[in-house]
Amino acid sequence: MDGERIKVLLVEDDGDSRELLAELLEDDFDVTTAADGVAGLKAFEDTHPDVVVTDESLPGMNGTELAQQVKEREPNARVVLVSGYAQVDGAEYCDAVLRKPIDVERLSRMVGELGDAARH
């Protein structure tokens, strides 16, 4: 059954937020984490997740840059951008944008729906 779980890459530079979100998502999904955009891109290439959940404000490579790189490598992968800003340049590379503070139930539903879509 583990092979059927949606694979999620969570990219967040704040350690506490990353750990908490990963813990909450792990109930329903296989979760890999990364602390910045560059590490996130490497983790994407290593794990081939169905859905990437990324913060916009990351050191090294921001979330929309990461989304663009993800889409270039795997157009079927889905990207959820999390941002405290109402407007984000580059959001067109993302399949969904969630404003902070994060509604975890909404994020989980979104990841499930996008993960299913990525597989079909």
Side-chain angles (χ1 to χ4, degrees):
M1 180 154 143
D2 281 346
E4 295 178 17
R5 284 169 57 103
I6 292 169
K7 291 168 47 177
V8 177
L9 171 60
L10 173 64
V11 187
E12 167 62 67
D13 60 321
D14 179 78
D16 292 339
S17 295
R18 185 175 60 248
E19 285 180 33
L20 179 62
L21 271 178
E23 200 172 291
L24 293 168
L25 291 172
E26 282 172 345
D27 286 342
D28 299 310
F29 310 108
D30 287 341
V31 180
T32 303
T33 62
D36 61 53
V38 174
L41 186 58
K42 180 168 182 357
F44 177 82
E45 292 170 339
D46 291 345
T47 63
H48 305 284
D50 302 298
V51 180
V52 176
V53 177
T54 181
D55 188 28
E56 170 59 8
S57 301
L58 298 169
M61 176 190 304
N62 68 30
T64 49
E65 291 169 334
L66 175 61
Q68 183 177 4
Q69 294 293 321
V70 163
K71 291 294 191 172
E72 285 175 5
R73 285 162 174 74
E74 180 50 64
N76 286 335
R78 302 300 196 253
V79 180
V80 177
L81 181 71
V82 177
S83 177
Y85 304 104
Q87 294 286 84
V88 180
D89 290 338
E92 66 271 13
Y93 296 107
C94 305
D95 297 283
V97 179
L98 274 182
R99 295 272 317 267
K100 289 182 179 179
I102 298 171
D103 176 336
V104 176
E105 286 183 15
R106 184 170 175 222
L107 174 63
S108 185
R109 267 194 320 276
M110 193 176 285
V111 167
E113 291 167 6
L114 291 172
D116 285 342
R119 293 178 169 198
H120 293 96

